Structure formats: C-alpha cells, structure tokens
Amino acid sequence: MAEKRFTVLDLLDLDLSGHDALHLKCIAGRRGLPRAITIPEINRPGLALCGFYEDFVGNRVQLFGRGETAYLQKLHNENSTDTLENFFKNEMPCCVFTHDLEPTEEFRALAEESCCPVLKTDLTSTEFSSRIIRVFSNIFAPHQTFHGVLVEVYGIGILLNGHSGVGKSETALELVERGHRLVADDIIEVRCVNGNTLLGRGANSLISHHMEIRGLGIINISQLYGVGAIRNQKEVQLIVQLEDWDSSKAYDRLGTEQKYKELLGVKIPIIEIPVRPGRNLPIIIEAAAMNERLKDMGYNSAQDFNQNVLKWMETGDANNAYYGNDDSY
C-alpha cells in the first residue's frame, strides 16, 4: 500500500493543541499548498539569501526568524531582488515566518509567482522549531497496524494479542472496571518514535474507545466509565499473548528467560498466558504489569528466586530438608 503524501495543506489542517499547536496560517502562495513535505526537518536560509547555495537543502521547510526577516527588509531598502529570484528557483515545500513577522512585498510577489506557500506563526523561532520537529517525528515515524487491544495497567502500556474470540476485549473490560485505562480496541496503530519508542493508539480516533463485547454489542467506554477510563495513546511496553490452554504445551513457570517480540525494529517483552475456564486473567495481567515495573526499577523476581535457591542448595539446607539428620529408616 502506497504511503499517503503529507502536504503543506495537511500541515495547516493538523488538529493540534496545547504544547503541540503550531498556530500556522497561510498568507501567500496558496496555489502551492498541495506541495509535499518529504523531509521531517527545517532549514534556516540565511546563507541562501546572501547568494550562497552550496549544500543548500531546499527540500526542507524554510524558517524565517528575526534575522532573516531583517535581511529581507535590507534587500527591500536597497531595491535588490536578484537574490530573492534565485532563492525561489528552488522548489521548497513552504516558508514559515515566526514571531508574527511579515515578509516584504517583493517576497510575497515572488512566492505567489512561484506558487510557494508562505506561512506565519506567532511562536518564537526556537519554540516553533521544537514543536514542528516533534510533530514531524510523529507523522513520519515508521508505523504498522495490529489487531488487538491496548490498555494501560499501573502505568504500563500492554498490548493484548490473540485470535478472535479468545477474550481480549472481555479481559480489557474487566481491567477498565478495576480502574485501569483503555487506549484502543480492535485495530491498533503503532509508531516507532525516536528509533526506540513504540507509541500505540487507535487507527481510527472516532471509534478507538468503543469496544465490541460478544452478546452485548458495541459499548462506549468513555461514556460508561468516564474520561478517566481512557487515554488517546500510550507507549507499548509489554505484549500479552492470550491463547487457548494446550495441555501438551510446556508453559513457562519460572520466568527466568525473558522472551521478546520485535515490532518495527524494537524488541518488546512478551508473555504467553493460556486461557481456560476459572483463570482470572485481569489479576494475572495486573501482576505482570507490576512485575514489569519492578524490572524497570532493576529488580527481577525470577532471577532473585533462582539466586536464593542456589544459595540454599550451597548451604546444605536442601539436603537436610529432604533427608534430615538421621539417615536410618
């Protein structure tokens, strides 16, 4: 499936709020809004405005701060347009003016002529740079969709996997009932951010907090349990594989050997939990989440148990426990 193009118009249409809001508006070159943004980085074109184009990265978003805008005013006062004409010969995605600054009339005219979008924001150059890089890192991050349920249990993002009908949604519903939070049900979109962090969310934000329960139908978790029972995205830190109980399979009973599953190049711990009547899956998952938190803090219960057993055997107490002090029968 071909990757969807991300355009300047898409950048303007992003529904961002709080510390991610870019406060962008288009002030010139609207015909160029369909231009694609292919590089998730920005460039300060100071040297290019002076006529130096060696190693100029024109395929990035061009950022104009106070310095660049002051130089444009200098060119205006000198009635010099040659430099600007050469600048717009490069097909750039767009130009962004920070600090609520305005370009000169010559700059606007050349932008309109070359169909280069000119955007404006009231943010400072530093603040805008950090925000747009953060936005780009999320938009251009490698991503993949998975079938499952993503929940947050004791602060740990857990991806519940398993075949259809194994009980993923019912288990997640019980976890929500016990005070934990649902991120998404059914189709999960996972993005790899910064090369080592997997962020999961619903593939469709409109239905991600709805859940299908067989025999009951579709329920809205946020309406039933309140907004405190949901969150929009969460880092995937543990995978729980639910499967039907197989009496011929040897399941891990000690946990000394941690298994991993690779998602988008990142290794995530995975545990297999067999499902059978009478097993309390939610409390097992809660224990798994708390155990994962202990591991993050540097304590491994299984390894500690193994070390204690070895110490016990080395002291000879193990023999005494089995054979006693009297060898006669």
Side-chain angles (χ1 to χ4, degrees), residues 30-48:
R30 294 184 180 275
R31 290 179 298 167
L33 289 178
R35 286 191 179 185
I37 299 176
T38 58
I39 305 295
E41 297 177 11
I42 59 176
N43 180 63
R44 301 291 293 264
L47 290 175

Side-chain angles (χ1 to χ4, degrees), residues 6-22:
F6 183 75
T7 66
V8 180
L9 182 59
D10 294 327
L11 180 64
L12 286 170
D13 287 342
L14 289 177
D15 185 15
L16 303 172
S17 59
H19 295 296
D20 287 330
L22 299 176

